[in-house]
Structures are given as structure tokens and as C-alpha cells.
Amino acid sequence: CSAGSTKPMPCREQSAAKDTAFISIQAFPALLDLPQDLEVSAVSCGSRHTAVITRGGELYTWGWGKYGQLGHGNNISSDQARRVEHLVAEGLRAEEVVCGPWTTYVRVLE
């Protein structure tokens, strides 16, 4: 995003509360840094967040979290993929994920 400048600048998204949490907005493919032993079986992208399910049934999310759509029990945004610990604690296996603009829907098995 360049605002009147001839030099390209990376875009940043900041929360309305002007806290220190922000995320990168990238309009091009980027490598994802997940733990090396994880195999992704499903992925879904919202307007500003992403979710993946591993072959082991774990859910990882990252991106803009203003509305709690990352599933970590807070409104914090993150550029790093993080496992949704609530599903692990409840003994639930993620089977399917669909991200909407500000939501994430997960089908789970007990």
C-alpha cells in the first residue's frame, strides 16, 4: 500500500482500539510457518484470517482476530499460526472448517 508515495510500502491492519496488535495484509502467496511434523488436510480463508485443519484433527488459525474468529478466546490478531487449544482440551477433532468474512465454522467429532 502506497499512500501518495512512489516507494511501495507493506500494508498493515490495526485494530480500532489502536492497541499494538496488527497483522500484515499480503496480496501475494507466502510460505506458512507451521510445526514441521504437521500435514494440512483442509484450509479455508476469510477476508482477513485463515484456518487449517491437520491430518490429526487439530485446528490452527491466524490473521485478523477482532471478532474472536480465530477461536483463541480473545480478540488478538496474529501473523503466526496458532493451535486452537479449546478443541484439544475438550477432546474434539476438527473435521471441516469454513471461514466467513468475520467468522469461522468448524465441524468436529468427539
mmCIF file of all heavy atoms in Angstrom, residues 59-110:
data_model
loop_
_atom_site.group_PDB
_atom_site.id
_atom_site.type_symbol
_atom_site.label_atom_id
_atom_site.label_comp_id
_atom_site.label_asym_id
_atom_site.label_seq_id
_atom_site.Cartn_x
_atom_site.Cartn_y
_atom_site.Cartn_z
ATOM 1 N N LEU A 59 -6.913 -27.778 14.762
ATOM 2 C CA LEU A 59 -7.245 -26.559 14.041
ATOM 3 C C LEU A 59 -6.225 -25.484 14.378
ATOM 4 O O LEU A 59 -5.951 -25.225 15.560
ATOM 5 C CB LEU A 59 -8.652 -26.077 14.427
ATOM 6 C CG LEU A 59 -9.116 -24.771 13.773
ATOM 7 C CD1 LEU A 59 -9.328 -24.960 12.269
ATOM 8 C CD2 LEU A 59 -10.408 -24.288 14.436
ATOM 9 N N TYR A 60 -5.647 -24.875 13.359
ATOM 10 C CA TYR A 60 -4.723 -23.748 13.502
ATOM 11 C C TYR A 60 -5.331 -22.551 12.790
ATOM 12 O O TYR A 60 -5.899 -22.701 11.699
ATOM 13 C CB TYR A 60 -3.360 -24.062 12.874
ATOM 14 C CG TYR A 60 -2.520 -24.998 13.691
ATOM 15 C CD1 TYR A 60 -2.768 -26.360 13.708
ATOM 16 C CD2 TYR A 60 -1.457 -24.510 14.443
ATOM 17 C CE1 TYR A 60 -1.989 -27.225 14.469
ATOM 18 C CE2 TYR A 60 -0.674 -25.369 15.210
ATOM 19 C CZ TYR A 60 -0.945 -26.720 15.211
ATOM 20 O OH TYR A 60 -0.182 -27.571 15.965
ATOM 21 N N THR A 61 -5.238 -21.372 13.419
ATOM 22 C CA THR A 61 -5.780 -20.151 12.819
ATOM 23 C C THR A 61 -4.775 -19.009 12.951
ATOM 24 O O THR A 61 -3.923 -19.027 13.832
ATOM 25 C CB THR A 61 -7.099 -19.723 13.490
ATOM 26 O OG1 THR A 61 -6.852 -19.464 14.875
ATOM 27 C CG2 THR A 61 -8.185 -20.778 13.346
ATOM 28 N N TRP A 62 -4.914 -18.019 12.086
ATOM 29 C CA TRP A 62 -4.099 -16.804 12.173
ATOM 30 C C TRP A 62 -4.759 -15.717 11.331
ATOM 31 O O TRP A 62 -5.649 -15.966 10.543
ATOM 32 C CB TRP A 62 -2.666 -17.046 11.711
ATOM 33 C CG TRP A 62 -2.513 -17.398 10.262
ATOM 34 C CD1 TRP A 62 -2.202 -16.545 9.241
ATOM 35 C CD2 TRP A 62 -2.679 -18.689 9.666
ATOM 36 N NE1 TRP A 62 -2.152 -17.234 8.056
ATOM 37 C CE2 TRP A 62 -2.431 -18.541 8.294
ATOM 38 C CE3 TRP A 62 -3.004 -19.947 10.170
ATOM 39 C CZ2 TRP A 62 -2.507 -19.613 7.403
ATOM 40 C CZ3 TRP A 62 -3.078 -21.004 9.280
ATOM 41 C CH2 TRP A 62 -2.825 -20.829 7.927
ATOM 42 N N GLY A 63 -4.333 -14.478 11.545
ATOM 43 C CA GLY A 63 -4.856 -13.329 10.816
ATOM 44 C C GLY A 63 -5.512 -12.341 11.755
ATOM 45 O O GLY A 63 -5.127 -12.203 12.915
ATOM 46 N N TRP A 64 -6.534 -11.671 11.249
ATOM 47 C CA TRP A 64 -7.242 -10.634 11.989
ATOM 48 C C TRP A 64 -8.211 -11.301 12.956
ATOM 49 O O TRP A 64 -9.039 -12.120 12.562
ATOM 50 C CB TRP A 64 -7.981 -9.764 10.995
ATOM 51 C CG TRP A 64 -8.507 -8.472 11.508
ATOM 52 C CD1 TRP A 64 -7.871 -7.554 12.283
ATOM 53 C CD2 TRP A 64 -9.789 -7.916 11.235
ATOM 54 N NE1 TRP A 64 -8.662 -6.470 12.509
ATOM 55 C CE2 TRP A 64 -9.858 -6.662 11.875
ATOM 56 C CE3 TRP A 64 -10.896 -8.355 10.512
ATOM 57 C CZ2 TRP A 64 -10.980 -5.849 11.813
ATOM 58 C CZ3 TRP A 64 -11.997 -7.537 10.446
ATOM 59 C CH2 TRP A 64 -12.039 -6.304 11.093
ATOM 60 N N GLY A 65 -8.142 -10.963 14.246
ATOM 61 C CA GLY A 65 -8.968 -11.631 15.248
ATOM 62 C C GLY A 65 -9.918 -10.728 15.991
ATOM 63 O O GLY A 65 -10.404 -11.103 17.060
ATOM 64 N N LYS A 66 -10.216 -9.549 15.453
ATOM 65 C CA LYS A 66 -11.012 -8.548 16.162
ATOM 66 C C LYS A 66 -12.340 -9.084 16.696
ATOM 67 O O LYS A 66 -12.804 -8.664 17.743
ATOM 68 C CB LYS A 66 -11.271 -7.351 15.257
ATOM 69 C CG LYS A 66 -12.070 -6.262 15.943
ATOM 70 C CD LYS A 66 -12.251 -5.053 15.072
ATOM 71 C CE LYS A 66 -13.051 -3.990 15.801
ATOM 72 N NZ LYS A 66 -13.207 -2.799 14.996
ATOM 73 N N TYR A 67 -12.976 -10.004 15.995
ATOM 74 C CA TYR A 67 -14.292 -10.506 16.408
ATOM 75 C C TYR A 67 -14.216 -11.897 17.041
ATOM 76 O O TYR A 67 -15.228 -12.573 17.163
ATOM 77 C CB TYR A 67 -15.253 -10.499 15.218
ATOM 78 C CG TYR A 67 -15.427 -9.121 14.647
ATOM 79 C CD1 TYR A 67 -14.845 -8.767 13.441
ATOM 80 C CD2 TYR A 67 -16.138 -8.142 15.346
ATOM 81 C CE1 TYR A 67 -14.975 -7.489 12.932
ATOM 82 C CE2 TYR A 67 -16.270 -6.857 14.849
ATOM 83 C CZ TYR A 67 -15.686 -6.544 13.641
ATOM 84 O OH TYR A 67 -15.815 -5.266 13.151
ATOM 85 N N GLY A 68 -13.026 -12.336 17.427
ATOM 86 C CA GLY A 68 -12.874 -13.646 18.044
ATOM 87 C C GLY A 68 -12.886 -14.796 17.060
ATOM 88 O O GLY A 68 -12.948 -15.958 17.457
ATOM 89 N N GLN A 69 -12.820 -14.492 15.766
ATOM 90 C CA GLN A 69 -12.935 -15.522 14.739
ATOM 91 C C GLN A 69 -11.755 -16.487 14.683
ATOM 92 O O GLN A 69 -11.839 -17.521 14.032
ATOM 93 C CB GLN A 69 -13.173 -14.888 13.352
ATOM 94 C CG GLN A 69 -12.026 -14.053 12.811
ATOM 95 C CD GLN A 69 -12.139 -12.589 13.159
ATOM 96 O OE1 GLN A 69 -12.477 -12.235 14.270
ATOM 97 N NE2 GLN A 69 -11.853 -11.726 12.207
ATOM 98 N N LEU A 70 -10.683 -16.201 15.411
ATOM 99 C CA LEU A 70 -9.551 -17.131 15.432
ATOM 100 C C LEU A 70 -9.764 -18.271 16.428
ATOM 101 O O LEU A 70 -9.074 -19.283 16.374
ATOM 102 C CB LEU A 70 -8.247 -16.392 15.749
ATOM 103 C CG LEU A 70 -7.855 -15.301 14.752
ATOM 104 C CD1 LEU A 70 -6.530 -14.690 15.153
ATOM 105 C CD2 LEU A 70 -7.814 -15.826 13.325
ATOM 106 N N GLY A 71 -10.705 -18.114 17.360
ATOM 107 C CA GLY A 71 -11.062 -19.186 18.271
ATOM 108 C C GLY A 71 -10.142 -19.358 19.465
ATOM 109 O O GLY A 71 -10.168 -20.401 20.113
ATOM 110 N N HIS A 72 -9.360 -18.322 19.788
ATOM 111 C CA HIS A 72 -8.425 -18.420 20.911
ATOM 112 C C HIS A 72 -8.968 -17.775 22.186
ATOM 113 O O HIS A 72 -8.227 -17.587 23.146
ATOM 114 C CB HIS A 72 -7.085 -17.795 20.536
ATOM 115 C CG HIS A 72 -6.452 -18.449 19.349
ATOM 116 N ND1 HIS A 72 -6.004 -19.752 19.368
ATOM 117 C CD2 HIS A 72 -6.233 -17.995 18.086
ATOM 118 C CE1 HIS A 72 -5.520 -20.063 18.172
ATOM 119 N NE2 HIS A 72 -5.653 -19.024 17.382
ATOM 120 N N GLY A 73 -10.238 -17.418 22.196
ATOM 121 C CA GLY A 73 -10.858 -16.855 23.397
ATOM 122 C C GLY A 73 -10.516 -15.400 23.646
ATOM 123 O O GLY A 73 -10.677 -14.906 24.753
ATOM 124 N N ASN A 74 -10.039 -14.705 22.607
ATOM 125 C CA ASN A 74 -9.726 -13.280 22.733
ATOM 126 C C ASN A 74 -9.911 -12.600 21.374
ATOM 127 O O ASN A 74 -10.362 -13.231 20.427
ATOM 128 C CB ASN A 74 -8.287 -13.092 23.247
ATOM 129 C CG ASN A 74 -7.268 -13.789 22.369
ATOM 130 O OD1 ASN A 74 -7.344 -13.745 21.146
ATOM 131 N ND2 ASN A 74 -6.303 -14.446 22.992
ATOM 132 N N ASN A 75 -9.581 -11.335 21.301
ATOM 133 C CA ASN A 75 -9.714 -10.569 20.055
ATOM 134 C C ASN A 75 -8.353 -10.204 19.477
ATOM 135 O O ASN A 75 -8.221 -9.215 18.778
ATOM 136 C CB ASN A 75 -10.501 -9.279 20.305
ATOM 137 C CG ASN A 75 -11.932 -9.556 20.704
ATOM 138 O OD1 ASN A 75 -12.306 -10.682 20.969
ATOM 139 N ND2 ASN A 75 -12.726 -8.527 20.751
ATOM 140 N N ILE A 76 -7.339 -10.984 19.785
ATOM 141 C CA ILE A 76 -5.982 -10.666 19.368
ATOM 142 C C ILE A 76 -5.720 -11.189 17.959
ATOM 143 O O ILE A 76 -6.046 -12.332 17.635
ATOM 144 C CB ILE A 76 -4.966 -11.266 20.368
ATOM 145 C CG1 ILE A 76 -5.162 -10.614 21.738
ATOM 146 C CG2 ILE A 76 -3.538 -11.083 19.878
ATOM 147 C CD1 ILE A 76 -4.338 -11.238 22.844
ATOM 148 N N SER A 77 -5.122 -10.342 17.123
ATOM 149 C CA SER A 77 -4.707 -10.723 15.782
ATOM 150 C C SER A 77 -3.311 -11.327 15.842
ATOM 151 O O SER A 77 -2.528 -11.022 16.741
ATOM 152 C CB SER A 77 -4.702 -9.498 14.872
ATOM 153 O OG SER A 77 -6.000 -8.956 14.773
ATOM 154 N N SER A 78 -3.005 -12.188 14.879
ATOM 155 C CA SER A 78 -1.697 -12.845 14.894
ATOM 156 C C SER A 78 -1.263 -13.208 13.479
ATOM 157 O O SER A 78 -2.055 -13.734 12.698
ATOM 158 C CB SER A 78 -1.764 -14.116 15.736
ATOM 159 O OG SER A 78 -0.555 -14.831 15.651
ATOM 160 N N ASP A 79 0.001 -12.932 13.152
ATOM 161 C CA ASP A 79 0.580 -13.375 11.887
ATOM 162 C C ASP A 79 1.069 -14.816 11.976
ATOM 163 O O ASP A 79 1.375 -15.429 10.972
ATOM 164 C CB ASP A 79 1.763 -12.483 11.489
ATOM 165 C CG ASP A 79 1.325 -11.198 10.817
ATOM 166 O OD1 ASP A 79 0.246 -11.177 10.211
ATOM 167 O OD2 ASP A 79 2.068 -10.212 10.897
ATOM 168 N N GLN A 80 1.147 -15.363 13.187
ATOM 169 C CA GLN A 80 1.632 -16.719 13.394
ATOM 170 C C GLN A 80 0.466 -17.684 13.561
ATOM 171 O O GLN A 80 -0.467 -17.401 14.303
ATOM 172 C CB GLN A 80 2.501 -16.781 14.660
ATOM 173 C CG GLN A 80 3.705 -15.883 14.619
ATOM 174 C CD GLN A 80 4.674 -16.284 13.526
ATOM 175 O OE1 GLN A 80 4.953 -17.466 13.341
ATOM 176 N NE2 GLN A 80 5.184 -15.317 12.792
ATOM 177 N N ALA A 81 0.541 -18.820 12.867
ATOM 178 C CA ALA A 81 -0.482 -19.852 13.033
ATOM 179 C C ALA A 81 -0.411 -20.397 14.455
ATOM 180 O O ALA A 81 0.661 -20.719 14.942
ATOM 181 C CB ALA A 81 -0.263 -20.975 12.024
ATOM 182 N N ARG A 82 -1.573 -20.446 15.124
ATOM 183 C CA ARG A 82 -1.644 -20.962 16.497
ATOM 184 C C ARG A 82 -2.731 -22.029 16.569
ATOM 185 O O ARG A 82 -3.809 -21.875 15.999
ATOM 186 C CB ARG A 82 -1.980 -19.835 17.474
ATOM 187 C CG ARG A 82 -0.866 -18.826 17.617
ATOM 188 C CD ARG A 82 -1.213 -17.686 18.563
ATOM 189 N NE ARG A 82 -1.919 -18.113 19.759
ATOM 190 C CZ ARG A 82 -2.900 -17.408 20.326
ATOM 191 N NH1 ARG A 82 -3.293 -16.257 19.820
ATOM 192 N NH2 ARG A 82 -3.482 -17.843 21.419
ATOM 193 N N ARG A 83 -2.454 -23.088 17.328
ATOM 194 C CA ARG A 83 -3.426 -24.159 17.516
ATOM 195 C C ARG A 83 -4.556 -23.668 18.406
ATOM 196 O O ARG A 83 -4.328 -22.985 19.394
ATOM 197 C CB ARG A 83 -2.750 -25.372 18.142
ATOM 198 C CG ARG A 83 -3.668 -26.574 18.284
ATOM 199 C CD ARG A 83 -2.927 -27.795 18.702
ATOM 200 N NE ARG A 83 -2.525 -27.674 20.105
ATOM 201 C CZ ARG A 83 -1.990 -28.656 20.796
ATOM 202 N NH1 ARG A 83 -1.749 -29.828 20.234
ATOM 203 N NH2 ARG A 83 -1.650 -28.480 22.053
ATOM 204 N N VAL A 84 -5.793 -24.032 18.059
ATOM 205 C CA VAL A 84 -6.956 -23.684 18.873
ATOM 206 C C VAL A 84 -7.013 -24.701 20.008
ATOM 207 O O VAL A 84 -7.457 -25.842 19.830
ATOM 208 C CB VAL A 84 -8.254 -23.669 18.034
ATOM 209 C CG1 VAL A 84 -9.458 -23.380 18.908
ATOM 210 C CG2 VAL A 84 -8.138 -22.635 16.914
ATOM 211 N N GLU A 85 -6.561 -24.281 21.173
ATOM 212 C CA GLU A 85 -6.407 -25.172 22.319
ATOM 213 C C GLU A 85 -7.735 -25.635 22.913
ATOM 214 O O GLU A 85 -7.796 -26.704 23.511
ATOM 215 C CB GLU A 85 -5.549 -24.503 23.403
ATOM 216 C CG GLU A 85 -4.133 -24.188 22.954
ATOM 217 C CD GLU A 85 -3.313 -25.424 22.591
ATOM 218 O OE1 GLU A 85 -3.627 -26.532 23.087
ATOM 219 O OE2 GLU A 85 -2.365 -25.276 21.809
ATOM 220 N N HIS A 86 -8.796 -24.858 22.755
ATOM 221 C CA HIS A 86 -10.101 -25.246 23.308
ATOM 222 C C HIS A 86 -10.553 -26.600 22.744
ATOM 223 O O HIS A 86 -11.077 -27.439 23.481
ATOM 224 C CB HIS A 86 -11.142 -24.171 23.019
ATOM 225 C CG HIS A 86 -12.516 -24.551 23.488
ATOM 226 N ND1 HIS A 86 -12.875 -24.548 24.819
ATOM 227 C CD2 HIS A 86 -13.600 -24.996 22.807
ATOM 228 C CE1 HIS A 86 -14.125 -24.956 24.935
ATOM 229 N NE2 HIS A 86 -14.590 -25.236 23.732
ATOM 230 N N LEU A 87 -10.351 -26.815 21.452
ATOM 231 C CA LEU A 87 -10.762 -28.087 20.851
ATOM 232 C C LEU A 87 -9.963 -29.248 21.430
ATOM 233 O O LEU A 87 -10.513 -30.309 21.709
ATOM 234 C CB LEU A 87 -10.600 -28.038 19.328
ATOM 235 C CG LEU A 87 -11.437 -26.995 18.599
ATOM 236 C CD1 LEU A 87 -11.169 -27.065 17.101
ATOM 237 C CD2 LEU A 87 -12.913 -27.166 18.889
ATOM 238 N N VAL A 88 -8.671 -29.033 21.634
ATOM 239 C CA VAL A 88 -7.812 -30.067 22.216
ATOM 240 C C VAL A 88 -8.267 -30.379 23.641
ATOM 241 O O VAL A 88 -8.410 -31.542 24.024
ATOM 242 C CB VAL A 88 -6.332 -29.622 22.202
ATOM 243 C CG1 VAL A 88 -5.449 -30.645 22.891
ATOM 244 C CG2 VAL A 88 -5.866 -29.370 20.776
ATOM 245 N N ALA A 89 -8.519 -29.328 24.424
ATOM 246 C CA ALA A 89 -8.933 -29.503 25.823
ATOM 247 C C ALA A 89 -10.256 -30.260 25.945
ATOM 248 O O ALA A 89 -10.470 -31.002 26.904
ATOM 249 C CB ALA A 89 -9.038 -28.144 26.504
ATOM 250 N N GLU A 90 -11.138 -30.074 24.975
ATOM 251 C CA GLU A 90 -12.441 -30.744 25.001
ATOM 252 C C GLU A 90 -12.410 -32.124 24.334
ATOM 253 O O GLU A 90 -13.440 -32.790 24.255
ATOM 254 C CB GLU A 90 -13.491 -29.864 24.306
ATOM 255 C CG GLU A 90 -13.785 -28.562 25.035
ATOM 256 C CD GLU A 90 -14.461 -28.786 26.380
ATOM 257 O OE1 GLU A 90 -15.357 -29.667 26.469
ATOM 258 O OE2 GLU A 90 -14.100 -28.094 27.337
ATOM 259 N N GLY A 91 -11.264 -32.525 23.817
ATOM 260 C CA GLY A 91 -11.153 -33.820 23.152
ATOM 261 C C GLY A 91 -11.868 -33.873 21.822
ATOM 262 O O GLY A 91 -12.335 -34.927 21.401
ATOM 263 N N LEU A 92 -11.962 -32.744 21.130
ATOM 264 C CA LEU A 92 -12.671 -32.661 19.858
ATOM 265 C C LEU A 92 -11.688 -32.689 18.695
ATOM 266 O O LEU A 92 -10.625 -32.079 18.742
ATOM 267 C CB LEU A 92 -13.501 -31.381 19.798
ATOM 268 C CG LEU A 92 -14.555 -31.241 20.898
ATOM 269 C CD1 LEU A 92 -15.205 -29.862 20.836
ATOM 270 C CD2 LEU A 92 -15.595 -32.336 20.775
ATOM 271 N N ARG A 93 -12.077 -33.383 17.645
ATOM 272 C CA ARG A 93 -11.261 -33.485 16.434
ATOM 273 C C ARG A 93 -11.918 -32.657 15.328
ATOM 274 O O ARG A 93 -13.062 -32.909 14.969
ATOM 275 C CB ARG A 93 -11.174 -34.950 16.025
ATOM 276 C CG ARG A 93 -10.431 -35.195 14.751
ATOM 277 C CD ARG A 93 -10.512 -36.675 14.364
ATOM 278 N NE ARG A 93 -10.004 -36.856 13.024
ATOM 279 C CZ ARG A 93 -8.751 -37.191 12.748
ATOM 280 N NH1 ARG A 93 -7.903 -37.373 13.734
ATOM 281 N NH2 ARG A 93 -8.358 -37.341 11.507
ATOM 282 N N ALA A 94 -11.201 -31.671 14.809
ATOM 283 C CA ALA A 94 -11.726 -30.835 13.717
ATOM 284 C C ALA A 94 -11.767 -31.667 12.435
ATOM 285 O O ALA A 94 -10.801 -32.334 12.083
ATOM 286 C CB ALA A 94 -10.859 -29.601 13.534
ATOM 287 N N GLU A 95 -12.907 -31.645 11.755
ATOM 288 C CA GLU A 95 -13.089 -32.401 10.517
ATOM 289 C C GLU A 95 -13.225 -31.493 9.299
ATOM 290 O O GLU A 95 -12.796 -31.863 8.219
ATOM 291 C CB GLU A 95 -14.349 -33.275 10.625
ATOM 292 C CG GLU A 95 -14.210 -34.414 11.605
ATOM 293 C CD GLU A 95 -13.293 -35.498 11.076
ATOM 294 O OE1 GLU A 95 -13.458 -35.936 9.925
ATOM 295 O OE2 GLU A 95 -12.390 -35.904 11.825
ATOM 296 N N GLU A 96 -13.835 -30.339 9.509
ATOM 297 C CA GLU A 96 -14.110 -29.442 8.389
ATOM 298 C C GLU A 96 -14.112 -28.013 8.909
ATOM 299 O O GLU A 96 -14.555 -27.755 10.025
ATOM 300 C CB GLU A 96 -15.488 -29.789 7.808
ATOM 301 C CG GLU A 96 -15.780 -29.254 6.464
ATOM 302 C CD GLU A 96 -17.109 -29.796 5.925
ATOM 303 O OE1 GLU A 96 -17.676 -30.743 6.505
ATOM 304 O OE2 GLU A 96 -17.563 -29.245 4.921
ATOM 305 N N VAL A 97 -13.626 -27.055 8.099
ATOM 306 C CA VAL A 97 -13.599 -25.656 8.506
ATOM 307 C C VAL A 97 -14.035 -24.786 7.334
ATOM 308 O O VAL A 97 -13.682 -25.051 6.183
ATOM 309 C CB VAL A 97 -12.203 -25.226 9.031
ATOM 310 C CG1 VAL A 97 -11.142 -25.314 7.950
ATOM 311 C CG2 VAL A 97 -12.243 -23.834 9.630
ATOM 312 N N VAL A 98 -14.836 -23.769 7.649
ATOM 313 C CA VAL A 98 -15.269 -22.782 6.663
ATOM 314 C C VAL A 98 -15.151 -21.409 7.309
ATOM 315 O O VAL A 98 -15.755 -21.155 8.356
ATOM 316 C CB VAL A 98 -16.731 -23.018 6.204
ATOM 317 C CG1 VAL A 98 -17.176 -21.927 5.247
ATOM 318 C CG2 VAL A 98 -16.883 -24.386 5.576
ATOM 319 N N CYS A 99 -14.362 -20.541 6.700
ATOM 320 C CA CYS A 99 -14.218 -19.168 7.203
ATOM 321 C C CYS A 99 -15.129 -18.236 6.423
ATOM 322 O O CYS A 99 -15.190 -18.313 5.196
ATOM 323 C CB CYS A 99 -12.774 -18.686 7.045
ATOM 324 S SG CYS A 99 -11.591 -19.588 8.054
ATOM 325 N N GLY A 100 -15.828 -17.363 7.138
ATOM 326 C CA GLY A 100 -16.595 -16.307 6.521
ATOM 327 C C GLY A 100 -15.822 -15.009 6.668
ATOM 328 O O GLY A 100 -14.666 -15.012 7.107
ATOM 329 N N PRO A 101 -16.431 -13.867 6.348
ATOM 330 C CA PRO A 101 -15.711 -12.591 6.469
ATOM 331 C C PRO A 101 -15.195 -12.340 7.889
ATOM 332 O O PRO A 101 -14.057 -11.932 8.057
ATOM 333 C CB PRO A 101 -16.750 -11.557 6.064
ATOM 334 C CG PRO A 101 -17.720 -12.301 5.205
ATOM 335 C CD PRO A 101 -17.754 -13.701 5.756
ATOM 336 N N TRP A 102 -16.024 -12.601 8.919
ATOM 337 C CA TRP A 102 -15.628 -12.339 10.300
ATOM 338 C C TRP A 102 -15.949 -13.521 11.205
ATOM 339 O O TRP A 102 -16.095 -13.368 12.400
ATOM 340 C CB TRP A 102 -16.321 -11.086 10.828
ATOM 341 C CG TRP A 102 -16.014 -9.886 10.014
ATOM 342 C CD1 TRP A 102 -14.825 -9.217 9.968
ATOM 343 C CD2 TRP A 102 -16.883 -9.213 9.117
ATOM 344 N NE1 TRP A 102 -14.900 -8.172 9.090
ATOM 345 C CE2 TRP A 102 -16.168 -8.140 8.558
ATOM 346 C CE3 TRP A 102 -18.200 -9.418 8.723
ATOM 347 C CZ2 TRP A 102 -16.718 -7.278 7.626
ATOM 348 C CZ3 TRP A 102 -18.750 -8.555 7.800
ATOM 349 C CH2 TRP A 102 -18.006 -7.495 7.261
ATOM 350 N N THR A 103 -16.072 -14.707 10.635
ATOM 351 C CA THR A 103 -16.458 -15.879 11.404
ATOM 352 C C THR A 103 -15.666 -17.098 10.964
ATOM 353 O O THR A 103 -15.075 -17.117 9.887
ATOM 354 C CB THR A 103 -17.956 -16.209 11.202
ATOM 355 O OG1 THR A 103 -18.194 -16.370 9.793
ATOM 356 C CG2 THR A 103 -18.864 -15.135 11.745
ATOM 357 N N THR A 104 -15.659 -18.123 11.822
ATOM 358 C CA THR A 104 -15.056 -19.403 11.468
ATOM 359 C C THR A 104 -15.993 -20.502 11.977
ATOM 360 O O THR A 104 -16.370 -20.495 13.148
ATOM 361 C CB THR A 104 -13.671 -19.566 12.132
ATOM 362 O OG1 THR A 104 -12.853 -18.467 11.758
ATOM 363 C CG2 THR A 104 -13.004 -20.860 11.703
ATOM 364 N N TYR A 105 -16.395 -21.397 11.101
ATOM 365 C CA TYR A 105 -17.251 -22.517 11.451
ATOM 366 C C TYR A 105 -16.438 -23.793 11.364
ATOM 367 O O TYR A 105 -15.747 -24.025 10.380
ATOM 368 C CB TYR A 105 -18.441 -22.613 10.493
ATOM 369 C CG TYR A 105 -19.290 -21.371 10.484
ATOM 370 C CD1 TYR A 105 -19.111 -20.385 9.519
ATOM 371 C CD2 TYR A 105 -20.260 -21.184 11.459
ATOM 372 C CE1 TYR A 105 -19.880 -19.234 9.525
ATOM 373 C CE2 TYR A 105 -21.043 -20.037 11.466
ATOM 374 C CZ TYR A 105 -20.836 -19.070 10.492
ATOM 375 O OH TYR A 105 -21.600 -17.939 10.512
ATOM 376 N N VAL A 106 -16.530 -24.630 12.391
ATOM 377 C CA VAL A 106 -15.760 -25.871 12.429
ATOM 378 C C VAL A 106 -16.693 -27.025 12.743
ATOM 379 O O VAL A 106 -17.468 -26.972 13.692
ATOM 380 C CB VAL A 106 -14.655 -25.797 13.517
ATOM 381 C CG1 VAL A 106 -13.805 -27.069 13.489
ATOM 382 C CG2 VAL A 106 -13.796 -24.575 13.338
ATOM 383 N N ARG A 107 -16.616 -28.078 11.942
ATOM 384 C CA ARG A 107 -17.341 -29.316 12.234
ATOM 385 C C ARG A 107 -16.361 -30.222 12.959
ATOM 386 O O ARG A 107 -15.234 -30.434 12.495
ATOM 387 C CB ARG A 107 -17.840 -30.000 10.949
ATOM 388 C CG ARG A 107 -18.661 -31.241 11.227
ATOM 389 C CD ARG A 107 -19.299 -31.801 9.975
ATOM 390 N NE ARG A 107 -18.351 -32.201 8.962
ATOM 391 C CZ ARG A 107 -17.728 -33.384 8.926
ATOM 392 N NH1 ARG A 107 -17.978 -34.300 9.837
ATOM 393 N NH2 ARG A 107 -16.881 -33.670 7.960
ATOM 394 N N VAL A 108 -16.783 -30.735 14.106
ATOM 395 C CA VAL A 108 -15.886 -31.536 14.940
ATOM 396 C C VAL A 108 -16.488 -32.911 15.239
ATOM 397 O O VAL A 108 -17.700 -33.093 15.130
ATOM 398 C CB VAL A 108 -15.565 -30.825 16.281
ATOM 399 C CG1 VAL A 108 -14.830 -29.518 16.030
ATOM 400 C CG2 VAL A 108 -16.809 -30.614 17.105
ATOM 401 N N LEU A 109 -15.630 -33.841 15.621
ATOM 402 C CA LEU A 109 -16.033 -35.164 16.097
ATOM 403 C C LEU A 109 -15.532 -35.305 17.532
ATOM 404 O O LEU A 109 -14.452 -34.826 17.862
ATOM 405 C CB LEU A 109 -15.428 -36.276 15.243
ATOM 406 C CG LEU A 109 -15.958 -36.434 13.835
ATOM 407 C CD1 LEU A 109 -15.190 -37.526 13.111
ATOM 408 C CD2 LEU A 109 -17.439 -36.750 13.843
ATOM 409 N N GLU A 110 -16.315 -35.972 18.352
ATOM 410 C CA GLU A 110 -15.893 -36.218 19.739
ATOM 411 C C GLU A 110 -14.997 -37.426 19.805
ATOM 412 O O GLU A 110 -15.079 -38.327 19.017
ATOM 413 C CB GLU A 110 -17.103 -36.420 20.644
ATOM 414 C CG GLU A 110 -17.913 -35.180 20.796
ATOM 415 C CD GLU A 110 -19.083 -35.370 21.745
ATOM 416 O OE1 GLU A 110 -19.614 -36.492 21.850
ATOM 417 O OE2 GLU A 110 -19.462 -34.388 22.375
#
